Amino acid sequence: MEKLSFYDVKSKKKFDATEYTVKEKGGRFFAVTKAPTGTHECWRVLGKDQAAKLKK
């Protein structure tokens, strides 16, 4: 998978991830991955074209 940048709100740090899932919620697309610290998830908003490309 393509490397994406995420922001962990709890630790206030950016990180890169190559393992994530693409989810649709309320007509918007998101990339979701586990945070490197803790057990929470980090969500990143994706554009429609980018989501379609990453779902392949």
Side-chain angles (χ1 to χ4, degrees), residues 4 6 19-23 30-34 41-44 46:
L4 290 179
F6 289 85
E19 299 210 9
Y20 48 84
T21 57
V22 177
K23 296 184 180 181
F30 300 90
V32 183
T33 190
K34 290 192 72 106
E41 294 179 329
C42 295
W43 291 56
R44 173 198 166 121
L46 299 173

Side-chain angles (χ1 to χ4, degrees), residues 2-3 6 10 13 17-19 23 31-32 34 42 45-46 49 54-55:
E2 187 179 317
K3 184 162 81 168
F6 289 85
K10 288 190 178 184
K13 292 183 182 172
T18 54
E19 299 210 9
K23 296 184 180 181
V32 183
K34 290 192 72 106
C42 295
V45 178
L46 299 173
D49 294 338
L54 293 174
K55 275 187 173 181

Side-chain angles (χ1 to χ4, degrees), residues 7 15 27-28 33 40 48 51:
Y7 182 75
F15 66 96
R28 296 182 79 185
T33 190
H40 57 283
K48 215 179 252 188

